[in-house]
Amino acid sequence: MVRYDRQDTNFVFRNRRSNNRWLGEVALREGFSLGEIAVVFCSDDYLLDVNKRFLGHDYYTDIITFDYCEGRILSGDLLISVDSVRDNSVHFGTDFDEELHRVIVHGILHLAGYDDHSAEEQARMREKENEYLCLRNTMSL
């Protein structure tokens, strides 16, 4: 089950059911099922505070993923800065919704075991993000 919440933002996420179907399909294609996923939309400042307090990092980011997976069940918290997603969409010349869904699936891929520390891992992650964004566009959402 995917739950959606917000902290320190007025952002409202729409089309939750269709997003849940998409994420369920992503999990299935990666060999997992969806457990408890919390997607929390927040501000840059809120996410920076979380980054400092829990990870010891003093920088802004678009997403922090907390992994609570057990076996082949994906569970975790995806904290997403709506401010950073909006900035990224301008920087990369993409639609805000596309960038938002890229960040959401990025978090799901982290839960599925993908990493992005090396250039090779980043390229693989980007390839999977693109694959699943295409899937999303072809699903009847």
Side-chain angles (χ1 to χ4, degrees), residues 68-86:
Y68 311 127
C69 296
E70 292 184 14
R72 304 304 294 170
I73 300 173
L74 299 182
S75 297
D77 296 335
L78 310 180
L79 282 69
I80 298 172
S81 169
V82 177
D83 300 326
S84 286
V85 170
R86 191 169 286 114

Side-chain angles (χ1 to χ4, degrees), residues 7-27:
Q7 293 292 326
D8 196 35
T9 184
N10 292 327
F11 178 75
V12 176
F13 184 70
R14 306 223 186 278
N15 302 317
R16 295 173 183 199
R17 284 190 188 135
S18 60
N19 198 68
N20 292 354
R21 283 195 314 272
W22 172 57
L23 294 179
E25 185 62 27
V26 169

Side-chain angles (χ1 to χ4, degrees), residues 38-135:
V39 180
V40 181
F41 300 102
C42 57
S43 67
D44 267 349
D45 290 336
Y46 183 89
L47 199 56
L48 176 62
D49 183 57
V50 169
N51 212 7
K52 287 178 183 177
R53 285 191 301 136
F54 293 99
L55 302 175
H57 301 155
D58 188 8
Y59 55 80
Y60 292 99
T61 186
D62 52 5
I63 184 170
I64 294 175
T65 304
F66 291 101
D67 185 338
Y68 311 127
C69 296
E70 292 184 14
R72 304 304 294 170
I73 300 173
L74 299 182
S75 297
D77 296 335
L78 310 180
L79 282 69
I80 298 172
S81 169
V82 177
D83 300 326
S84 286
V85 170
R86 191 169 286 114
D87 291 346
N88 289 347
S89 71
V90 171
H91 178 77
F92 295 115
T94 60
D95 178 73
F96 172 80
D97 286 336
E98 179 180 337
E99 188 64 24
L100 181 63
H101 289 100
R102 177 179 301 282
V103 172
I104 292 171
V105 80
H106 182 92
I108 295 295
L109 290 169
H110 273 306
L111 295 177
Y114 291 88
D115 226 331
D116 56 3
H117 297 297
S118 71
E120 183 178 283
E121 290 171 332
Q122 290 171 8
R124 180 70 177 138
M125 180 77 86
R126 181 52 56 116
E127 180 182 301
K128 291 303 252 180
E129 290 168 5
N130 289 337
E131 174 185 339
Y132 290 128
L133 287 172
C134 286
L135 171 66

Side-chain angles (χ1 to χ4, degrees), residues 24-36:
E25 185 62 27
V26 169
L28 185 65
R29 289 178 184 220
E30 291 295 327
F32 294 88
S33 60
L34 284 182
E36 295 292 322

